[in-house]
Each structure stands twice: as C-alpha cells, then as structure tokens.
Amino acid sequence: MIFTLENARIPAICTRADIEQLPTEELLALYNELTGKATKRFANRDKGLEQVWKALEAAGRAAQPSGSPVDGLLALLAERPQTVAEIRELLHLPSDKKARNVIDRARREGHAVKNVGPCTFGL
C-alpha cells in the first residue's frame, strides 16, 4: 500500500503527539507530501520526527503550544513528579537548561515546585 496524506488520516493541524503516534511509513508519506520530495527512508525515527515537525511548521500546520511554559509545567507536575528530561521532552523545549529556566520561572511566580529527587520535580 502506498501511504498518502489522504489514507494516513492526518489532521489539518498536527501536534507533536499526533506525529509521534504515526507509523514510520505514514510519517514518511507525510514528510514527502509536505516537502514534495520522494524520500524513501529516514536515517532514524527521531530524526524523521524532527524533519516532519519542521516541515509542518514551514507549512503552517504545526499546532503551537497554548498557554505559557509555566502553565504546561504545572499541568505536568499535577499528574506526577517529572524529571528535567521528561519536562524538556513534554514541553518541547530545546535543552535541559531551558526546562530548568521554566522551573525557576514558576518558582519566581510563587508556585510550589519542589525538588523531590535527583533531577526530579513535583508540586
């Protein structure tokens, strides 16, 4: 079967979670459809996800995160304690340093973000 945007059931606006759930074949079809290329495979899945996300952003089909990073952090920590790496990944931040900056900002705003373990934070 040849995968295309039509049979891949891709929403008009995609979130990172949407594309992370796609099988690699559908991810590749989406990338080719967005870029007009005929790529046959990605070097690895993680690089493929990044390439598709950048193509979605360029096409204006990437969902922008709503609210401030602090709001996202508080929502994550309300579920359970998170490590810095998890916070970085779930908030789509470029580095652990940026994740720590969001934690510090939340503390400056008066939120009770506590260190509950090695590189792990909770409320």
Side-chain angles (χ1 to χ4, degrees), residues 35-120:
T35 62
K37 295 182 179 180
T39 303
K40 294 185 186 200
R41 65 185 206 123
F42 296 119
N44 65 49
R45 183 165 170 85
D46 290 338
K47 288 186 181 187
L49 286 168
E50 286 307 311
Q51 288 176 290
V52 170
W53 186 250
K54 287 179 184 177
L56 282 167
E57 287 178 326
R61 293 186 48 195
Q64 299 303 318
S66 58
S68 74
V70 171
D71 293 339
L73 172 69
L74 296 175
L76 289 174
L77 297 181
E79 294 173 16
R80 66 175 181 81
Q82 305 278 344
T83 65
V84 172
E86 291 170 330
I87 292 167
R88 175 188 43 80
E89 183 178 321
L90 295 170
L91 293 180
H92 308 296
L93 299 170
S95 66
D96 286 357
K97 182 177 180 180
K98 295 289 184 185
R100 289 183 179 279
N101 288 345
V102 172
I103 293 165
D104 291 341
R105 182 174 159 196
R107 287 175 167 171
R108 283 192 306 273
E109 291 178 6
H111 301 287
V113 178
K114 300 177 207 165
N115 190 336
V116 295
C119 298
T120 305

